[in-house]
Amino acid sequence: MRRVNASPKYTGNCWNHWTIIGAVPFTGTRGKAPVWSRDQWFSVAVAILRRKQRNMPGELAQSFTAALLQFDVALGRPEENLARAVALLEQLPVAGDAPTLAVLPEVFTTNFTFHGAEEFAAHSGRALEKLAALAREREIAIAGSIIEAGREAGRYANRAFFIDERGERLCHYAKRHLITIGHEHLFYEEGDDAEARIFEWHAIPMAMAICYDLRFPEWLGRLAFAGARVFVVPAQWPRERLAHWRTLLQARAIENQAFFLGCNRTGVMENTVFAGGSAIIDPWGEIVATDAEGATEIVRGRVEPALSDEVRSRLPAFNERQAQESK
């Protein structure tokens, strides 16, 4: 028996993917075709087709697995935080028949540090390269937010990212609503509404929002009117307002009849405690998966985007709101 390293991508040549079924029996010299039974040929053909489909994010996905990774984000220690995120990402299984989306907390590499932004923004580029390589290797999509250079020289932004299985970045949205009680507006550049765009992953119309954005229903409604069926929300939401976090996720899901995937951090920063509570909320406002008090680091659940259209059809409140907005 002999094993051959499988290619990370489907190239159209089945001979590059012999190890999809585990091992290849050879009867001839090196490089010659393996001798397989009919069942083995069938198994490898099915596996190649599934692998090809997973690596084509333009194909419609009937469902996907969401994994919300909640952890303590150390203040101003990007290498430590990146290593923690990578360790959690590597715990996720390589994508199976359905795609997988992993979501990280808000500013997951640095936390809210307002000093050394230039250095941290430079590190963000390396962190995103690492995530893109991991996305390709493990055939998963990865989303979150990170500190990056702003539109103006010397300014910085809390910017969302969504990296697909090919390592391509689909979202560059900078946080539109900065929380003034945390002085975020004094240090970071406010995002532009033009950056808040719908993007497609596996033909699913998606949008991203960041933490405090949840308190602006009209703004999120416009994204839903533009077509979003799934909203991804990285956050750093304190435990003292955890009830708000849960309620707002459900309220935004109900009023927009869309999925909301909220990933919050855990741990303590100075005198502020963060208790996780990451959650997947469906278009009925039902909780698909959650962790109430940060007891687990990975919250997993199945997302079926077509449920959004089904709910909007059965209870057409969203469609009626959209019709009113268009008058």
Side-chain angles (χ1 to χ4, degrees):
M1 302 291 283
R2 183 173 182 272
R3 293 185 181 272
V4 181
N5 290 330
S7 168
K9 292 280 189 174
Y10 176 72
T11 61
N13 183 351
C14 68
W15 304 112
N16 292 333
H17 296 267
W18 290 339
T19 55
I20 289 174
I21 60 171
V24 179
F26 279 82
T27 57
T29 60
R30 181 176 181 179
K32 290 189 177 181
V35 177
W36 286 334
S37 69
R38 180 182 300 175
D39 287 344
Q40 284 178 308
W41 275 111
F42 179 78
S43 297
V44 78
V46 169
I48 290 169
L49 289 172
R50 286 177 175 172
R51 187 180 182 93
K52 181 178 180 182
Q53 186 176 35
R54 289 201 308 268
N55 286 322
M56 293 179 64
E59 296 292 330
L60 177 64
Q62 299 300 316
S63 66
F64 66 89
T65 298
L68 314 178
L69 313 184
Q70 51 181 29
F71 58 94
D72 186 0
V73 182
L75 184 64
R77 283 142 65 180
E79 289 294 343
E80 178 182 329
N81 293 321
L82 178 59
R84 185 72 193 121
V86 168
L88 288 172
L89 288 164
E90 288 179 339
Q91 290 182 32
L92 300 177
V94 175
D97 294 343
T100 295
L101 167 62
V103 186
L104 299 166
E106 181 180 15
V107 288
F108 83 97
T109 57
T110 56
N111 203 331
F112 278 102
T113 178
F114 302 128
H115 304 288
E118 182 177 0
E119 175 188 349
F120 294 141
H123 179 273
S124 293
R126 298 191 295 274
L128 290 173
E129 288 177 3
K130 174 68 174 178
L131 293 183
L134 196 60
R136 289 190 295 268
E137 175 188 334
R138 302 194 67 80
E139 299 179 336
I140 60 175
I142 305 171
S145 93
I146 203 162
I147 295 174
E148 291 188 303
R151 296 183 300 273
E152 300 178 12
R155 297 280 285 168
Y156 299 91
N158 177 353
R159 195 178 298 277
F161 62 86
F162 189 108
I163 300 169
D164 71 13
E165 299 94 324
R166 298 169 297 195
E168 295 181 9
R169 185 170 176 177
L170 306 183
C171 179
H172 293 78
Y173 160 68
K175 189 175 182 180
R176 176 67 178 81
H177 305 98
L178 305 179
I179 184 165
T180 56
I181 62 171
H183 308 299
E184 191 180 9
H185 65 298
L186 299 179
F187 296 92
Y188 295 134
E189 184 179 81
E190 186 179 80
D192 189 333
D193 278 339
E195 292 180 324
R197 299 173 183 153
I198 308 303
F199 59 92
E200 288 195 351
W201 175 61
H202 289 280
I204 304 165
M206 307 185 73
M208 290 194 68
I210 302 175
C211 200
Y212 196 53
D213 287 334
L214 273 180
R215 294 188 181 273
F216 296 82
E218 295 84 5
W219 181 81
L220 288 165
R222 287 195 292 273
L223 290 171
F225 293 153
R229 299 296 191 274
V230 177
F231 288 79
V232 181
V233 189
Q236 290 211 25
W237 206 284
R239 185 170 66 183
E240 66 178 351
R241 295 189 291 278
L242 193 60
H244 296 194
W245 164 252
R246 295 169 178 157
T247 302
L248 290 170
L249 280 173
Q250 288 182 286
R252 299 296 88 90
I254 291 167
E255 67 197 11
N256 294 299
Q257 296 179 317
F259 276 92
F260 271 71
L261 318 180
C263 182
N264 194 26
R265 64 162 291 191
T266 59
V268 179
M269 182 181 70
E270 298 177 347
N271 296 321
T272 303
V273 178
F274 299 87
S278 298
I280 300 168
I281 312 296
D282 78 9
W284 284 118
E286 298 290 338
I287 299 172
V288 176
T290 191
D291 174 71
E293 289 293 334
T296 183
E297 292 180 303
I298 302 177
V299 176
R300 289 188 182 90
R302 180 73 73 180
V303 177
E304 299 178 347
L307 181 60
S308 177
D309 292 323
E310 178 185 331
V311 172
R312 291 176 183 183
S313 175
R314 292 175 61 184
L315 180 63
F318 175 83
N319 297 332
E320 290 164 1
R321 280 176 51 218
Q322 189 171 24
Q324 288 183 356
E325 288 289 329
S326 64
K327 288 182 180 179

